[in-house]
Amino acid sequence: MPIARTWLLALALLAGRGEAQSCRPELQGIAHNLAKGRPACQSSIYPHVIIGAASKAVDGNCGGDWFKDGTCTHTQQDTEPWWYVDLGDQYAISAVIVKNRGDGSGKRLEGAQIRVGDSVADHGKSNPLCGTITNTSLGSITTLYCNWLKGSYVSINIPGRAEYLHVCEVEVYGTKMEDQC
Ligand SMILES: *[C@@H]1O[C@H](CO)[C@@H](O)[C@H](O)[C@H]1NC(C)=O
């Protein structure tokens, strides 16, 4: 194998290893998930031996079984529950991927809104809308294209009802503002 190709392959493998598993394998090692490992916050935490912390949505683990995998978030039944991640810098967001819980209660995510903006004073509720989750089948993976909405926070807001909010992974893709002409 020519050296250049070997080198490229090594780089691809390195990138693949450094990047945790994406919910969409085709993005593996190609796109950088801006949300992974970033600080996340949510309206409350469901009291349970399995800790449904907000950080479980950005842990790089796409497992969808709340009980078996223990890698999903889980709030209490809050009025208009919310979750958000702080990207640490302003990005133009191209896509957000949300992995729904796979072992039950998938319907709870119905109508959940993904929003992008620079303030979470109201937990993202009034930030520009990227899209709404409509496929609530168990373990569904929703990809929403945000048309380069700008912001340093990506939130999930369930409007108009009291609900449990749980997601198993949230991936955010985009580009740093300086990179754009
Ligand atoms: C919803 O998601 C499931 C699981 O990912 C998929 O099989 C199904 O085709 C989706 N339904 C629609 C209407 O997109």
Side-chain angles (χ1 to χ4, degrees):
M1 200 186 290
I3 284 171
R5 272 190 50 202
T6 314
W7 180 235
L8 273 179
L9 183 62
L11 271 182
L13 285 174
L14 272 177
R17 205 169 297 143
E19 196 69 32
Q21 193 189 350
S22 169
C23 293
R24 300 258 309 261
E26 67 272 26
L27 294 176
Q28 193 78 30
I30 297 171
H32 174 67
N33 173 11
L34 301 170
K36 204 197 123 212
R38 296 298 311 167
C41 201
Q42 65 188 11
S43 48
S44 68
I45 185 161
Y46 185 65
H48 196 279
V49 288
I50 299 168
I51 312 289
S55 59
K56 300 250 174 126
V58 291
D59 61 0
N61 188 325
C62 198
D65 188 319
W66 154 260
F67 287 103
K68 263 198 246 142
D69 300 331
T71 67
C72 305
T73 71
H74 202 322
T75 70
Q76 299 189 61
Q77 190 175 34
D78 299 327
T79 299
E80 304 200 323
W82 51 267
W83 175 97
Y84 69 76
V85 60
D86 178 357
L87 304 176
D89 224 329
Q90 195 190 51
Y91 292 90
I93 307 300
S94 58
V96 176
I97 295 174
V98 179
K99 162 84 173 206
N100 194 14
R101 181 173 166 178
D103 65 327
S105 306
K107 284 270 176 232
R108 289 174 178 167
L109 209 52
E110 179 73 48
Q113 300 175 335
I114 308 302
R115 293 177 177 274
V116 177
D118 285 318
S119 166
V120 281
D122 61 356
H123 315 118
K125 200 173 150 182
S126 58
N127 283 338
L129 182 68
C130 164
T132 300
I133 293 177
T134 55
N135 188 339
T136 58
S137 62
L138 295 181
S140 64
I141 297 169
T142 295
T143 302
L144 296 167
Y145 297 96
C146 303
N147 201 23
W148 309 107
L149 283 176
K150 290 168 196 151
S152 46
Y153 297 96
V154 173
S155 66
I156 303 176
N157 304 82
I158 298 182
R161 67 179 193 269
E163 188 58 278
Y164 297 94
L165 170 56
H166 41 57
V167 288
C168 292
E169 197 67 5
V170 177
E171 297 176 14
V172 177
Y173 296 93
T175 184
K176 197 70 160 287
M177 300 310 296
E178 298 93 81
D179 293 348
Q180 293 191 306
C181 295

